[in-house]
Amino acid sequence: MKNIKLKITLLLFLAPFYSYSCLADSGGTDWKPQIVEKMYVLPPQHLNKVLNNDFNKSILAVNLQNKDNIIKNKIDKINELSSLLPRASQEENLEIKHQIIINKRDYIKDMNDLLGMKKQKLVTKKRIFNKIKKRINLKSINSKHNNAFLENKKNAIKRAQNLDFKILESTSYNTSKKSKYFEQYQVNKNAINTLKLAIEKHPMSTQNILSKDPKNKMEAIRSYIHNIETEIAVLEMKEQIINYMAKIVALDAMQLAEKVSEINVNDVDTNTRGINDPTNVINIFTKS
Amino acid sequence: MIKLILNSAVVLIVGISTAAYANSIDALERERANTINLILDKTISITERNNKLEKIKLKLLDMERMIINNKNINKNPSYQTVKAFENFELTFLAHSSIERDKSIAITWLEKIGLTTENLINTRVTRK
C-alpha cells in the first residue's frame, strides 16, 4: 500500500509537466529532405510526391511508424486493464487503476511525441514550399526587367525563322556557299519540331498545363502551403486535446491518491481509537 | 623562379577562363566590324570585295543564328546584348540583307541613312 502511495505521489508530481512537454522538442530525428537544385523546377504535384518519397525513406518516418505502433499497444493495454476492473477486489482495483493511470500517462507522452514528429514533417515541407515560392517571386521580378529584351529576342527568332527557306535556298544551289551551321540546321529543326509535337500530344503534358504557367505554379504552391498550415493548425488543436488529457490523468491520479490515503487514514483511525481515545477507556476510569 | 611560374600559370588560367566565358556577341561584333571595314575598303577591287563579302556573309549567318537561338543570353543579358537585339537590322546584318533581298553593304548603308536618294539630294556647299 505504501508503495502504491509513493508511486501515485510521484505520478501526481510528474503529471502537470506533461502538459508543458507539448512545447518541447518531440525527440524524433530531423528530416532533412535531399532535394537537389533541379527538383525546384518540377511541377508542384511531382515535387510533393518527391518530398513524400523522401520523407518515407527518412529516420523520422521510421520513428513515426514505431511510435504509432507503441501508441496502439498502449490503447490495447488500457482497454484490457479497464475490462478487468469490474471483477477485481478493492486491493486489485486500486492497483489496476494505478496501472491504467501509468499507461495513460505513457500514452500522452507518446502521443505528444507523435504529434511533434508530424508537426516537424509539416514544418519542413512548408519551409521547402516557401523556398520555392520565394524563387518564383524572384524569377518573376527578374523577368519583368528582361521583358523588353525577351520581346526583342522573340521577334528576332521569328524573323530569323521566316528566313529559313530563303537561306537554305541560297546556300543549297552552290556547294561553296554551304554553311556549317545550316548544313545541320534543317535536320535538327525537323527533329525538334517532331519532338515538340510529341510533347504537345503527350497525355501528361496536357495534365501539367496548370503547373507550367508560373502563375498557376505559384497558385498550386500557395494551395499546398495553405493545406500544410491547416494540418499544422489541426495538430495544434490535437496538442490542446493532449493537454486536457494530461489534466484528466492528473485529476484521476489525485482521486486515486485520495482514495489510498483515505484507506490509510481509516486504518490509522481504527488503530488510534483502540489505543489512544480516552472515550474508549471511560469505563475503566469510572469503575471504582 | 617557382613563384614566377606559378604567377604565369594563374594568369594563363584566368585568361583561359575569361576566353571561355567571352560574350558571343563580342565575336559577332568583331566579324561585323571586319565586314564594314571590307565594305569601306577602297584598296580592293569590286570583284574582290564581293567575293570576300560572300564568304563573310556565310560566317555572319552562322554566328547571327547561333546568337539568336542562344538561350543562355536570356539570363542577365549585358547592356551590349540588350542594345544588339534592339537594333536587329544593324546587328544581324546577314539576316537583314536576306530579308530585304539586298547586299550586306546596301543594307548597312541604308540603315545608317546613306541611301542613293539621300546622296543625290545632298548639295555640296562651301562654308
Side-chain angles (χ1 to χ4, degrees), chain A residues 17-234:
Chain A
F17 292 102
Y18 286 111
S19 56
Y20 298 111
S21 62
C22 296
L23 301 168
D25 187 38
S26 60
T29 331
D30 267 0
W31 170 42
K32 284 171 187 163
Q34 304 295 308
I35 301 289
V36 290
E37 197 77 1
K38 277 184 180 175
M39 284 182 185
Y40 285 109
V41 297
L42 283 173
Q45 60 264 53
H46 288 197
L47 191 78
N48 196 32
K49 273 182 197 168
V50 170
L51 274 176
N52 286 340
N53 287 339
D54 193 279
F55 173 74
N56 290 337
K57 286 176 198 162
S58 72
I59 302 166
L60 185 65
V62 177
N63 288 346
L64 200 87
Q65 195 55 50
N66 289 343
K67 210 45 120 182
D68 196 50
N69 292 336
I70 291 169
I71 287 169
K72 274 175 195 162
N73 289 338
K74 280 272 168 326
I75 294 166
D76 290 343
K77 207 170 182 183
I78 291 168
N79 286 334
E80 198 185 310
L81 286 166
S82 301
S83 67
L84 291 173
L85 269 177
R87 283 170 284 151
S89 64
Q90 200 194 4
E91 188 87 356
E92 282 171 345
N93 196 301
L94 280 177
E95 186 54 42
I96 291 168
K97 275 185 179 170
H98 174 235
Q99 285 303 318
I100 289 175
I101 288 170
I102 287 174
N103 275 299
K104 277 183 179 172
R105 180 200 66 183
D106 290 347
Y107 167 84
I108 289 166
K109 188 181 177 296
D110 290 335
M111 183 52 89
N112 182 48
D113 287 351
L114 186 89
L115 291 181
M117 282 189 242
K118 277 185 179 176
K119 204 172 177 182
Q120 195 185 338
K121 176 197 170 186
L122 291 171
V123 168
T124 312
K125 255 178 123 177
K126 190 183 160 188
R127 198 174 55 231
I128 285 171
F129 280 119
N130 273 330
K131 230 179 190 178
I132 296 166
K133 205 171 106 181
K134 267 185 193 169
R135 271 167 183 260
I136 294 171
N137 277 335
L138 201 75
K139 222 176 174 183
S140 68
I141 291 167
N142 285 340
S143 70
K144 267 177 199 167
H145 290 297
N146 286 344
N147 257 356
F149 167 73
L150 290 174
E151 195 59 38
N152 284 333
K153 192 160 183 274
K154 211 173 153 186
N155 286 337
I157 292 170
K158 218 176 187 180
R159 282 172 80 168
Q161 276 174 351
N162 288 340
L163 298 173
D164 278 356
F165 183 69
K166 263 188 179 178
I167 293 169
L168 285 167
E169 204 183 35
S170 68
T171 53
S172 59
Y173 69 85
N174 192 345
T175 46
S176 66
K177 278 185 174 182
K178 279 256 178 188
S179 133
K180 269 185 195 173
Y181 185 73
F182 278 92
E183 264 179 29
Q184 286 297 311
Y185 179 78
Q186 199 57 39
V187 182
N188 292 341
K189 205 190 157 193
N190 288 341
I192 289 168
N193 283 340
T194 320
L195 288 170
K196 270 186 182 173
L197 267 173
I199 289 168
E200 274 172 28
K201 281 179 185 170
H202 200 282
M204 283 305 282
S205 171
T206 48
Q207 270 183 26
N208 287 339
I209 280 175
L210 275 173
S211 57
K212 273 179 190 166
D213 185 17
K215 271 185 188 173
N216 289 330
K217 191 172 181 177
M218 190 64 148
E219 203 54 50
I221 282 164
R222 272 192 198 131
S223 112
Y224 276 115
I225 291 171
H226 173 74
N227 285 343
I228 290 169
E229 278 170 353
T230 316
E231 279 180 54
I232 290 174
V234 170

Side-chain angles (χ1 to χ4, degrees), chain A residues 146 149-150 152-153 156-157 159-161 163-164 166-167 171 176-182 185, chain B residues 54 58 61-62 65-70 73-74 77 81-82 85-86 88-89 95 98-99 101:
Chain A
N146 286 344
F149 167 73
L150 290 174
N152 284 333
K153 192 160 183 274
I157 292 170
R159 282 172 80 168
Q161 276 174 351
L163 298 173
D164 278 356
K166 263 188 179 178
I167 293 169
T171 53
S176 66
K177 278 185 174 182
K178 279 256 178 188
S179 133
K180 269 185 195 173
Y181 185 73
F182 278 92
Y185 179 78
Chain B
E54 270 308 317
L58 281 174
L61 259 179
D62 279 0
R65 189 54 74 97
M66 278 186 267
I67 286 168
I68 289 170
N69 291 329
N70 187 357
I73 56 172
N74 291 3
T81 314
V82 172
F85 276 89
E86 273 178 18
F88 181 91
E89 281 85 2
H95 274 80
I98 291 172
E99 195 178 42
D101 284 325

